[in-house]
Amino acid sequence: MSWTKEDLQQLVKTKLADRRFIVVSNREPYIHILSGDEIQCIIPASGLTVALDPVMQACGGVWVAYGNGSADREIVDEKNRISVPPDEPCYTLRRVWLTKEEEEGYYLGFSNEALWPLSHIAYTPPNFDENNWDIYKKVNQIFADAVLEEIGDKQAFVFIQDYHLALLSRMIKAKNPQVITAQFWHIPWPNTEAFRICPWGEEILDGLLGNDLLGFHIRYHCDNFLETAKRMLESRVDNERSAISRGGRTTLVRPFPISVDFSRITRDAAEAEVEEEMEEIRRRWQLGDEFIGIGIDRLDYTKGIPHRLNALNKFLAKYPEYRGRIIFFQLGEPSRVHIKKYRELNSEIDDMVEELNWKYQSGAWKPIVYIREHLSPATLLAFNKLAHFCIVSSLHDGMNLVAKEFVSSRTDEDGVLILSRFTGAARELTEALPINPYATDDFAEAIKRAIEMPKEQRQARMKKLRQVVEENNVYRWAGNIISELANLGL
Ligand code: GDG
């Protein structure tokens, strides 16, 4: 049976009763920016906010996040709050302000130059800087103060998101031990050998063990965490219960595979606006009967974009009969561009696209169209619907929602998903074509297989994929987390 928004609302009403429901994350779900004289509201390209927004729309409550939009301050009330979503307000966004120095040290420096590469096995070494770590701690305290203010003297359940806020639960409980906290770690948890190089590993582990419940996407990441705690920290690890006790308190460690709002995507995909977008894309790129491939990513070195381009190169070299008959759209929103590694990735992709197009282009045809900008949800849906195949080639990925969005948008039950084995999503989406992004020849063969797959097989696979995502949608994810907390005697 699949979970609905109403099921989740009902659960929250009965289980949370009159507790305040507070979500905390670094990234905010709606960013207000100045565009000329006007204030524009945009939805960031972030798997976390895309997944949490429908949950908040169902549950109501307060979402505390860093306000980094150029017009964010102009639009909030005196308590730094604003009701969202803009067209149908149903929950409160409470913005926290950070200085440039704090953003650099906590967000770019420690979160994304240390913890991000530490958690992903993508062969990019983390950079541990003591000053950044100090700022990281300071900013966690800023978030804790904002959360405590939102709680006031009420009972509360605080749902903390991700690796930016590893110390938050301890800081909240130091001032208000009644609060119940759960934290979801949206990226992989590495094995102990990888994690132990972090100079402040013990403090991070201890911070996370401030939570009553700690969630990861898959069992494998939970097991890595249990093992890391056992080896690095004074604690009692109960593998059978998947629980860790430290200082008289217990943290349950559980897998909760995150997902998307399947029914909403399915509904949105049928909108006239999306049909119009599809027409516009066909017209703009003069599409005929070519095979269309797509890749949609936040431009990040963990997403394996150069590996994908290598495979496309191999495919075109080995099967020249497909030259002129395939167009691959790489859509990418620039991300974390103040970090050198990300700038280097951007120029590497630029060079590779240039090289590939130069090598194979003939007449008006080029194999790769690279669109490096923020696209609207309707445009993304249009590309998802137009594609014969979608490539997700992450080197390591907690879940990957792009794969689940592709499946949800295919109301025609057609299209082939080529999916890296190294994503959390690969555990559930077993009817996708699995690839190892490092194995270029096999990857190129998977592209050929996707293009040549008979219609009945494509449809049979897509039908099964859709059943999986429909059943395991984002409401089930949130519902399972809240039910687990309720079992703790909430
Ligand atoms: C982290 C974990 C985990 C992309 N370009 C645009 C745009 N997007 C949207 C996609 C998708 C989201 O961004 C990316 O989500 P992912 O899940 O693929 O990746 P991360 O941001 O790395 O997310 C990941 C996730 O957290 C949730 O737990 O799955 O493993 O790394 O929704 O559609 N959205 C818009 N314009 C774009 O140009 N509007």
Side-chain angles (χ1 to χ4, degrees):
M1 196 203 68
S2 83
W3 274 70
T4 63
K5 187 173 175 177
E6 289 71 33
D7 294 334
L8 182 64
Q9 278 166 339
Q10 193 53 40
L11 184 83
V12 167
K13 219 159 113 195
T14 48
K15 302 291 186 196
L16 298 186
D18 48 6
R19 275 180 192 272
R20 298 211 82 182
F21 181 59
I22 300 180
V23 161
V24 203
S25 70
N26 169 69
R27 175 72 72 229
E28 53 180 349
Y30 297 92
I31 306 180
H32 289 93
I33 56 164
L34 276 175
S35 155
D37 293 346
E38 284 189 12
I39 294 182
Q40 205 190 329
C41 181
I42 57 168
I43 297 171
S46 144
L48 183 157
T49 53
V50 165
L52 257 294
D53 181 56
V55 172
M56 282 305 276
Q57 288 197 32
C59 302
V62 183
W63 185 332
V64 179
Y66 167 39
N68 70 330
S70 51
D72 274 355
R73 282 176 199 259
E74 286 183 33
I75 210 159
V76 291
D77 66 14
E78 69 285 354
K79 293 203 160 130
N80 301 315
R81 295 183 185 141
I82 176 176
S83 291
V84 288
D87 43 0
E88 225 185 335
C90 50
Y91 68 91
T92 303
L93 172 61
R94 155 78 193 260
R95 286 179 171 143
V96 167
W97 313 117
L98 301 178
T99 63
K100 205 171 191 111
E101 192 200 7
E102 285 163 350
E103 182 178 348
E104 267 174 30
Y106 139 85
Y107 176 71
L108 295 169
F110 196 71
S111 299
N112 287 321
E113 277 194 284
L115 287 178
W116 177 268
L118 179 72
S119 303
H120 290 92
I121 314 290
Y123 305 98
T124 295
N127 173 22
F128 299 112
D129 178 293
E130 184 135 22
N131 186 41
N132 288 341
W133 167 241
D134 287 340
I135 299 175
Y136 181 87
K137 287 189 278 190
K138 183 175 159 210
V139 171
N140 269 244
Q141 191 60 57
I142 294 175
F143 273 92
D145 293 343
V147 171
L148 286 160
E149 205 177 290
E150 290 297 329
I151 296 173
D153 55 6
K154 306 246 173 40
Q155 301 264 61
F157 162 46
V158 181
F159 188 18
I160 305 167
Q161 309 301 316
D162 234 356
Y163 59 100
H164 314 84
L165 301 167
L167 311 174
L168 196 64
S169 64
R170 278 258 183 255
M171 290 171 170
I172 293 172
K173 286 187 182 177
K175 301 239 173 77
N176 187 344
Q178 302 305 320
V179 176
I180 297 197
T181 68
Q183 184 150 6
F184 191 77
W185 191 264
H186 289 256
I187 62 179
W189 188 276
N191 61 33
T192 316
E193 281 69 27
F195 185 77
R196 68 182 176 188
I197 65 168
C198 177
W200 307 287
E202 286 177 25
E203 280 153 279
I204 287 167
L205 287 168
D206 177 65
L208 289 170
L209 291 176
N211 288 290
D212 301 283
L213 176 65
L214 184 57
F216 296 94
H217 291 295
I218 56 175
R219 179 84 254 163
Y220 185 59
H221 300 155
C222 295
D223 290 345
N224 279 346
F225 186 83
L226 292 171
E227 184 65 20
T228 310
K230 190 191 266 172
R231 300 253 192 111
M232 288 182 60
L233 212 60
E234 204 169 299
S235 58
R236 211 180 68 243
V237 175
D238 181 340
N239 281 85
E240 212 139 287
R241 277 184 66 224
S242 194
I244 304 174
S245 304
R246 176 167 164 86
R249 293 195 63 109
T250 301
T251 305
L252 294 184
V253 182
R254 295 280 184 275
F256 300 103
I258 207 168
S259 194
V260 293
D261 188 347
F262 178 88
S263 56
R264 181 171 154 191
I265 297 176
T266 294
R267 213 172 44 237
D268 289 354
E271 293 283 329
E273 190 191 354
V274 173
E275 286 296 328
E276 284 159 23
E277 272 295 324
M278 287 167 76
E279 264 320 301
E280 175 59 23
I281 294 165
R282 285 197 195 98
R283 196 195 53 74
R284 165 86 178 77
W285 304 102
Q286 298 179 5
L287 302 182
D289 56 0
E290 297 91 348
F291 293 103
I292 305 298
I294 56 165
I296 303 177
D297 308 82
R298 203 171 43 70
L299 291 174
D300 194 290
Y301 54 80
T302 59
K303 304 292 181 187
I305 302 164
H307 302 68
R308 186 180 309 173
L309 295 171
N310 278 335
L312 285 160
N313 179 29
K314 183 57 83 120
F315 169 77
L316 289 168
K318 203 164 165 198
Y319 302 107
E321 64 274 25
Y322 281 109
R323 293 183 198 167
R325 294 179 56 207
I326 170 177
I327 300 182
F328 187 78
F329 286 88
Q330 176 59 54
L331 318 177
E333 163 147 17
S335 172
R336 308 174 189 168
V337 286
H338 301 296
I339 298 176
K340 193 164 158 243
K341 260 278 159 226
Y342 286 76
R343 289 198 298 275
E344 285 169 1
L345 172 76
N346 284 344
S347 29
E348 185 185 359
I349 297 172
D350 284 348
D351 291 351
M352 287 181 83
V353 169
E354 180 69 35
E355 183 70 24
L356 255 154
N357 280 341
W358 178 80
K359 191 164 157 191
Y360 295 110
Q361 81 182 56
S362 109
W365 175 80
K366 285 182 185 176
I368 315 286
V369 175
Y370 181 30
I371 306 177
R372 186 170 60 177
E373 60 190 65
H374 182 84
L375 299 169
S376 74
T379 308
L380 292 180
L381 279 173
F383 273 109
N384 272 319
K385 284 183 71 179
L386 269 175
H388 293 94
F389 63 98
C390 170
I391 301 183
V392 171
S393 54
S394 313
L395 307 181
H396 203 188
D397 215 332
M399 176 53 68
N400 193 286
L401 295 182
V402 170
K404 292 188 171 181
E405 287 163 359
F406 176 65
V407 168
S408 308
S409 71
R410 297 311 296 245
T411 44
D412 60 349
E413 298 182 338
D414 204 345
V416 181
L417 175 63
I418 298 177
L419 180 61
S420 164
R421 298 177 190 280
F422 311 135
T423 59
R427 314 267 163 146
E428 291 170 82
L429 303 182
T430 50
E431 292 296 325
L433 293 185
I435 50 139
N436 168 356
Y438 295 94
T440 310
D441 288 84
D442 292 353
F443 192 165
E445 289 306 319
I447 296 173
K448 180 163 185 281
R449 218 181 131 199
I451 288 177
E452 294 178 357
M453 190 181 286
K455 188 165 184 186
E456 313 79 70
Q457 203 191 125
R458 292 199 307 262
Q459 293 193 322
R461 282 173 181 267
M462 185 50 82
K463 215 177 180 139
K464 287 194 190 141
L465 289 170
R466 286 178 63 77
Q467 276 165 3
V468 172
V469 182
E470 182 171 21
E471 214 160 285
N472 302 301
N473 60 20
V474 74
Y475 298 114
R476 176 178 296 260
W477 173 77
N480 285 346
I481 293 175
I482 292 168
S483 304
E484 190 74 58
L485 281 169
N487 292 342
L488 289 174
L490 191 146

